[in-house]
Amino acid sequence: MKQYRPTIEQLKKRYSADMARRKMQARRDAARDPNVKRVQIPDNSEPWLPHKPESLAECIWIADQVSRRIEQWKHDFLPTTSRAN
């Protein structure tokens, strides 16, 4: 397989974009109040079990629930258009 080598112009563009991105991030960080704590976006997922699966049966149960959910979504959200069109 032939090795991919970017041209000098592509390397220059990538380097200048990286430098601009770093400069803008530094400006944003300088403008941000250091005393304000950053709020982390909460996780919107729900665990299948209240604890980590401890047995193979629990893992199989989770896999079965996932399969059922996939089939339910396939049934509820059928494509509105045909690929033949």
Side-chain angles (χ1 to χ4, degrees), residues 18-73:
D18 187 45
M19 295 304 291
R21 188 173 23 258
R22 287 183 188 182
K23 191 174 186 180
M24 290 301 294
Q25 187 62 46
R27 285 183 186 167
R28 284 191 210 110
D29 291 342
R32 197 173 283 140
D33 185 7
N35 298 326
V36 175
K37 291 191 175 187
R38 296 180 74 174
V39 178
Q40 187 162 355
I41 299 172
D43 188 15
N44 66 348
S45 64
E46 299 175 6
W48 291 96
L49 296 172
H51 58 279
K52 289 185 179 180
E54 297 171 353
S55 67
L56 182 60
E58 289 180 343
C59 293
I60 292 172
W61 180 82
I62 292 172
D64 186 47
Q65 295 298 316
V66 170
S67 298
R68 288 182 185 175
R69 187 76 53 94
I70 290 171
E71 290 304 318
Q72 178 186 358
W73 277 70

Side-chain angles (χ1 to χ4, degrees), residues 73-83:
W73 277 70
K74 283 182 183 178
H75 182 279
D76 293 345
F77 298 102
L78 290 173
T80 56
T81 60
S82 172
R83 289 185 180 206

